[in-house]
Amino acid sequence: MGEVRLPKFGLVRFRWTRPLGGTIRNVTVSRDGGRWYISFCVEDGVTEAAPNGKPPVGVDRGVAVAVATSDGGLDDREFVIPGEAARLKRLQQRLSRSLRVHGRNRGSKRRDATRAQLGRLNARIRARRADFAAQTAVRLVREHGMVAVERLRIKNMTASAKGTVEQPGRNVRQKAGLNRAILSKGWGGFLLKLEHAARYHGAKIEKVNPAYTSQTCHACKHVAPESRESQAVFRCVACGHQDHADVNAAKNILAAGLAVTGRGDLAAGLSTKRQPPERLAA
């Protein structure tokens, strides 16, 4: 058992699950699914692990398959089972139809009970998603020395498309469904787990420009949206090369991650000077 005094909570007692192993920088108290949690940000002196010398890999984060790798691996998990999805919808409907206030000054106990049930169910789904992200991330950085991923702006990608009254959006329902699918796969949480695990296993995370990675043929480098026949099938219209669409994208991501210039940045990125100058012989 331990205890810490926080400004807003006073004296908080908690149970240790493992040694902190460093200097505490800040403390976060949160509530999830009806349970209270306390987390510590600890400075442990580990800035960057030494390279582990293992082969690189490219990773594509998708909607149909959560994680696809350039070596042909497809990792996915059902975070919400059908029974939970039906119960989740039923609880959301019950919550939306319930009264916020029962009587004059008393809150609705039925609404509070529904919110508690909804919170516990969402907490179970989040824990399942976090477990998948942590296990997949640790396996990748243990088996590979460099992991190339796309530099995705998830907040912009999942923005609403309904627009304004003067300029209403198009395909709003389809965009809302895509937003839910992206958020349900936990792309951002997976990247955080990947970066955290890489520090301790000697791997490097390389973020690359995501432009055209899903439309480019890895064999002949021809770019065409028509080559992606479906969510899972990629067939190049130029050379006929066929592969799983997400695996083909992962191979392109790996190639972009390996294309590092002599100045240290990515080939699609910052500097115009591609290689350091050669020293002339005397």
Side-chain angles (χ1 to χ4, degrees):
M1 296 291 292
E3 58 183 31
V4 62
R5 186 173 296 277
L6 302 178
K8 294 184 179 180
F9 297 90
L11 186 64
V12 178
R13 291 185 174 87
F14 55 91
R15 186 185 302 275
W16 295 96
T17 57
R18 61 183 177 88
L20 295 179
T23 305
I24 299 175
R25 291 305 180 188
N26 58 64
V27 182
T28 303
V29 178
S30 59
R31 189 178 184 182
D32 190 7
R35 296 183 177 181
W36 289 92
Y37 298 90
I38 181 168
S39 58
F40 299 89
C41 178
V42 178
E43 183 179 349
D44 56 3
V46 179
T47 56
E48 186 175 355
N52 58 22
K54 295 183 179 180
V57 70
V59 172
D60 177 66
R61 290 167 285 174
V63 174
V65 178
V67 176
T69 57
S70 55
D71 55 5
L74 299 174
D75 296 305
D76 199 11
R77 180 178 177 180
E78 190 177 29
F79 302 126
V80 186
I81 62 178
E84 289 177 337
R87 185 164 180 262
L88 191 64
K89 183 178 180 180
R90 186 168 61 251
L91 288 173
Q92 289 171 341
Q93 290 176 344
R94 186 187 303 172
L95 183 67
S96 65
R97 295 167 182 169
S98 62
L99 297 175
R100 293 181 180 272
V101 178
H102 183 73
R104 289 188 175 181
N105 300 316
R106 184 166 62 87
S108 173
K109 293 184 178 179
R110 182 174 298 178
R111 181 181 177 86
D112 292 341
T114 303
R115 290 181 61 185
Q117 294 177 35
L118 195 59
R120 287 193 294 269
L121 181 56
N122 281 321
R124 187 187 310 161
I125 296 170
R126 284 194 297 270
R128 199 175 293 153
R129 187 183 297 117
D131 180 69
F132 168 81
Q135 291 192 32
T136 307
V138 169
R139 180 181 57 80
L140 286 173
V141 298
R142 280 179 177 175
E143 297 177 356
H144 303 281
M146 189 271 283
V147 181
V149 296
E150 293 174 303
R151 187 187 292 108
L152 300 176
R153 297 181 178 180
I154 302 174
K155 184 177 180 180
N156 296 343
M157 293 175 63
T158 56
S160 175
K162 62 182 180 181
T164 61
V165 177
E166 295 78 12
Q167 296 181 345
R170 296 180 297 176
N171 300 324
V172 178
R173 292 180 64 88
Q174 293 86 338
K175 182 62 168 62
L178 177 62
N179 292 349
R180 286 194 297 269
I182 291 174
L183 294 174
S184 68
K185 292 298 181 181
W187 290 359
F190 171 72
L191 182 58
L192 288 176
K193 294 286 194 301
L194 198 63
E195 291 175 330
H196 176 74
R199 297 171 61 235
Y200 293 94
H201 293 279
K204 181 181 180 182
I205 307 300
E206 201 73 71
K207 299 178 184 178
V208 305
N209 186 358
Y212 306 109
T213 54
S214 62
Q215 301 178 8
T216 303
C217 175
H218 179 68
C220 69
K221 308 303 179 185
H222 180 72
V223 181
E226 299 81 11
S227 297
R228 185 152 188 171
E229 295 185 353
S230 65
Q231 184 67 37
V233 178
F234 183 93
R235 184 179 289 106
C236 182
V237 296
C239 69
H241 172 72
Q242 184 174 348
D243 201 350
H244 191 283
D246 293 337
V247 174
N248 178 78
K251 292 177 180 179
N252 292 328
I253 294 169
L254 174 60
L258 293 175
V260 179
T261 69
R263 299 184 70 177
D265 56 339
L266 299 179
L270 306 176
S271 65
T272 57
K273 190 173 183 180
R274 294 301 179 189
Q275 295 294 338
E278 296 181 0
R279 178 171 297 181
L280 299 176

